[in-house]
Amino acid sequence: MINNDINFNDKTILITGGAGFIGSNLAFYFQDNYPDSIVVVFDCFRSEITFSNNNLTSFGHYKNLIGFNGVVICGNINNKSDLSLLNDYKFDYIFHHAAISDTRVYDQEIIMKTNVNAFTDILNKAKDDNSVLVYASSAATYGTLPSPQTVGKENPENPYGFSKFIMDQIACRYINNNKNMTIVGLRFFNVYGPKEFYKGSTASMVIQLGHQILDRKAPRLFKGSEKIERDFIYIKDVIQSNIKACKPHSSGIYNIGTGKPRSFQDISDILQKELGTNLGTEYFPNPFDGYQMHTQANINSSKEVLGFKPIYSLEDGIKLYVPEIKKLHGSSNK
Ligand SMILES: NC(=O)c1ccc[n+]([C@@H]2O[C@H](COP(=O)([O-])OP(=O)(O)OC[C@H]3O[C@@H](n4cnc5c(N)ncnc54)[C@H](O)[C@@H]3O)[C@@H](O)[C@H]2O)c1
């Protein structure tokens, strides 16, 4: 269990986006470690509607919550009457993870409404309930700025990153105007691990390459992948950050990564080692402009203020994840 001296038993906890990857892991963290907590998941789940990039408009999936015995509310954060369903509860802690999480959606209106406008409603609910609020920001706020990415120097280069940066600015104003509130934004870098499968093609390269290898195909990587480095962080460290964020020395925005960039080639090589294959690699040209070639979270303030300490190396995380990757191989994403 992650230690930060909070006993969440008997606490009422809201997790928006709780049917998604990070949110559902958090829901089970509370269920497993604090069985007397009251955990409310709020998520619109998935419809069959897609964006023009052919990805679903939301990735929440009931299968992420099989075995969860808390409260589940299906609702859209853009819809005030759905949000009013939360008024039956007074929350001690709110974890706001609901968002359009697909970085390659270019419908700016829907991204801004979902990620930004709804955030103000969540902040107001936290203020009314006197809840601690932890919310998901993103490394996409940095765009292609050189490493190490540091809070205070942002340059988003897609609508998603822009929406998260605007959320952070709203949060900072709210923090200034409500000094008694605890509000923490977590800028996640590249998260991987169990329960991301239902994000489809937006799930991490770890599961995508893992499934290619299990198909006995050479993993497909962009040319020069040994030089494309990202800060990959295992889901358990991300859960740790959410818990530590509940008791920060001060409210604010914090990076959540390992601080140790690794290449896509490393992921492929570690997977091949774990899966006992030697399939080589198939390289193809990178079709994307504005691609992040290197990320490395500056986590100094996250360590000092939150007490966050990443534990899992890429090798450790992949090793722990491989059984789930194998279990899901060949199964339907529907
Ligand atoms: N996974 C990562 O690598 C990563 C990196 C940076 C930031 N983040 C952020 O962390 C949060 C969680 O990400 P994730 O990887 O679990 O993504 P996810 O897509 O699995 O989870 C987001 C959840 O929000 C729900 N949702 C979307 N629109 C909604 C709406 N209008 N109303 C209610 N629910 C809605 C989805 O159904 C989904 O369950 C997101 O805010 C995301 O932007 C994730």
Side-chain angles (χ1 to χ4, degrees):
M1 207 196 308
I2 298 150
N3 188 2
N4 71 346
D5 305 330
I6 299 176
N7 181 357
F8 291 96
N9 278 318
D10 300 322
K11 300 293 184 208
T12 306
I13 299 164
L14 170 63
I15 305 175
T16 72
F21 169 34
I22 297 173
S24 61
N25 275 285
L26 194 56
F28 279 102
Y29 175 80
F30 288 119
Q31 176 166 305
D32 294 343
N33 295 290
Y34 299 96
D36 292 329
S37 57
I38 298 159
V39 181
V40 178
V41 158
F42 182 90
D43 199 297
C44 65
F45 289 77
R46 59 174 58 192
S47 64
E48 295 190 322
I49 301 168
T50 54
F51 287 118
S52 60
N53 65 7
N54 289 326
N55 290 336
L56 290 169
T57 52
S58 57
F59 298 120
H61 202 299
Y62 77 91
K63 286 191 180 167
N64 283 335
L65 289 173
I66 286 178
F68 175 65
N69 56 27
V71 179
V72 177
I73 300 174
C74 180
N76 192 316
I77 48 170
N78 295 324
N79 184 327
K80 303 265 182 207
S81 70
D82 287 357
L83 281 178
S84 73
L85 298 169
L86 298 175
N87 293 339
D88 291 346
Y89 301 88
K90 186 173 183 306
F91 295 106
D92 299 295
Y93 295 90
I94 296 179
F95 297 88
H96 178 49
H97 287 287
I100 292 177
S101 63
D102 185 344
T103 57
R104 298 203 179 275
V105 170
Y106 296 100
D107 180 337
Q108 301 186 19
E109 181 184 7
I110 189 65
I111 291 200
M112 293 304 286
K113 281 190 172 149
T114 308
N115 294 3
V116 176
N117 292 10
F119 183 47
T120 304
D121 293 314
I122 298 292
L123 280 161
N124 291 338
K125 174 70 176 155
K127 186 174 178 179
D128 290 348
D129 288 6
N130 197 21
S131 349
V132 168
L133 174 64
V134 178
Y135 73 91
S137 178
S138 171
T141 50
Y142 298 113
T144 54
L145 286 177
S147 296
Q149 287 72 29
T150 303
V151 175
K153 282 188 206 147
E154 294 79 9
N155 186 30
E157 289 177 36
N158 57 35
Y160 169 81
F162 178 75
S163 73
K164 292 287 182 179
F165 187 36
I166 296 295
M167 285 175 74
D168 293 341
Q169 292 174 43
I170 293 171
C172 288
R173 282 197 291 275
Y174 221 89
I175 291 167
N176 267 332
N177 296 335
N178 299 277
K179 298 255 185 313
N180 58 332
M181 283 181 77
T182 298
I183 301 173
V184 174
L186 299 174
R187 283 192 182 154
F188 302 130
F189 279 61
N190 284 66
V191 191
Y192 65 98
K195 297 187 186 288
E196 65 169 320
F197 179 60
Y198 298 103
K199 291 177 70 175
S201 66
T202 75
S204 78
M205 286 306 287
V206 177
I207 190 159
Q208 314 224 22
L209 294 171
H211 284 170
Q212 287 170 25
I213 294 166
L214 289 166
D215 283 339
R216 298 262 148 210
K217 290 184 186 138
R220 297 189 80 234
L221 293 178
F222 294 153
K223 270 188 196 141
S225 276
E226 71 289 351
K227 290 200 204 97
I228 307 177
E229 290 193 318
R230 294 276 175 88
D231 194 326
F232 298 103
I233 180 150
Y234 191 54
I235 183 68
K236 279 188 189 266
D237 279 333
V238 165
I239 298 306
Q240 182 211 140
S241 72
N242 277 267
I243 301 304
K244 294 273 171 73
C246 293
K247 210 174 180 182
H249 292 308
S250 59
S251 292
I253 318 294
Y254 301 95
N255 281 338
I256 300 302
T258 60
K260 296 186 178 127
R262 300 294 300 270
S263 70
F264 286 107
Q265 189 70 55
D266 286 339
I267 293 183
S268 175
D269 294 347
I270 298 167
L271 279 164
Q272 295 228 48
K273 186 167 167 247
E274 286 299 325
L275 295 168
T277 57
N278 193 4
L279 298 163
T281 310
E282 184 191 328
Y283 296 102
F284 67 104
N286 180 350
F288 298 115
D289 286 335
Y291 194 72
Q292 281 175 319
M293 293 299 284
H294 195 276
T295 63
Q296 175 179 19
N298 176 340
I299 55 172
N300 293 342
S301 63
S302 326
K303 286 181 178 164
E304 277 163 31
V305 183
L306 306 182
F308 169 67
K309 189 170 178 273
I311 293 172
Y312 299 89
S313 67
L314 190 60
E315 282 78 2
D316 297 339
I318 290 180
K319 197 181 192 59
L320 286 170
Y321 189 15
V322 155
E324 166 102 351
I325 294 175
K326 282 186 178 161
K327 193 174 92 193
L328 289 167
H329 179 231
S331 62
S332 156
N333 180 270
K334 291 228 163 101

